[in-house]
Amino acid sequence: MKVSTLMPFLAIVTLLSFTSCSTENFEDDIEAIELTTAPQAKEIEIEILELINNHRLTNGLSALGNHDTVKAVAFTHTDYMIEVSDVSHDNFYQRKVSLEANAGARVVSENVGYGFSTAHSVVNAWLNSPAHKANLEGDFTDFDVSAEQDENGRWYFTNIFIKR
């Protein structure tokens, strides 16, 4: 294969490798993650959920319900991202399996983010990304978000959507 033909293909593969939203569906034999108790919602988290639901309502979509199990699962991932100092969708399938088993989810998707200091800034970033916006406007029934700060005060976000 010619290099000139291969380069656009590699560029697309690379671009797709760095997305920060996920609807992966691996059929690995992975067990669900162990659930923790959902922490109390922070002001920034409440604002994020309200901004997303306001956007949905403005666009003729139904509002999504908050879900403690979704919040607990989102928290485990945000905590993990802080621990490894990396924004990722690592272990998404485990979160999906946990939500299927513990929240009756049939469809699971997520957005992650890092470094935004306000609810408006992270939601605007998601709305300006077609893949993230698709999750915000998707056919889901419930959602929740976890926002945690690392030791340097930088925010990490995990926003999970489910359809029951």
Side-chain angles (χ1 to χ4, degrees):
M1 184 177 257
K2 288 182 167 181
V3 173
S4 61
T5 305
L6 185 59
M7 290 306 287
F9 173 74
L10 289 176
I12 290 171
V13 169
T14 301
L15 179 64
L16 293 176
S17 298
F18 293 103
T19 61
S20 57
C21 59
S22 184
T23 57
E24 296 172 7
N25 187 15
F26 298 118
E27 297 303 323
D28 298 331
D29 222 4
I30 299 175
E31 293 185 25
I33 59 170
E34 187 175 322
L35 292 180
T36 61
T37 302
Q40 185 73 23
K42 296 174 192 63
E43 186 175 326
I44 192 170
E45 294 168 334
I46 294 166
E47 289 177 38
I48 290 168
L49 298 174
E50 288 175 350
L51 287 167
I52 292 170
N53 269 339
N54 287 341
H55 173 79
R56 289 178 62 86
L57 291 170
T58 299
N59 287 283
L61 303 167
S62 61
L64 302 176
N66 300 27
H67 198 289
D68 283 344
T69 303
V70 174
K71 180 162 188 61
V73 171
F75 173 75
T76 64
H77 185 59
T78 304
D79 191 47
Y80 166 82
M81 290 191 300
I82 290 172
E83 183 180 316
V84 300
S85 298
D86 187 35
V87 179
S88 72
H89 293 287
D90 291 355
N91 309 311
F92 174 78
Y93 189 72
Q94 287 177 299
R95 290 188 294 287
K96 179 181 180 292
V97 169
S98 288
L99 291 166
E100 289 170 343
N102 297 297
R106 293 182 295 129
V107 179
V108 179
S109 190
E110 73 182 12
N111 289 342
V112 297
Y114 163 79
F116 300 97
S117 59
T118 67
H120 285 280
S121 62
V122 71
V123 172
N124 284 337
W126 287 333
L127 287 171
N128 287 314
S129 162
H132 294 95
K133 185 176 180 180
N135 282 341
L136 296 179
E137 297 176 350
D139 183 19
F140 299 107
T141 55
D142 304 277
F143 72 152
D144 224 306
V145 66
S146 169
E148 299 294 329
Q149 290 179 293
D150 68 10
E151 70 237 7
N152 299 313
R154 290 181 299 245
W155 287 98
Y156 286 75
F157 303 90
T158 304
N159 185 200
I160 299 180
F161 303 84
I162 67 170
K163 180 176 183 174
R164 294 188 284 158

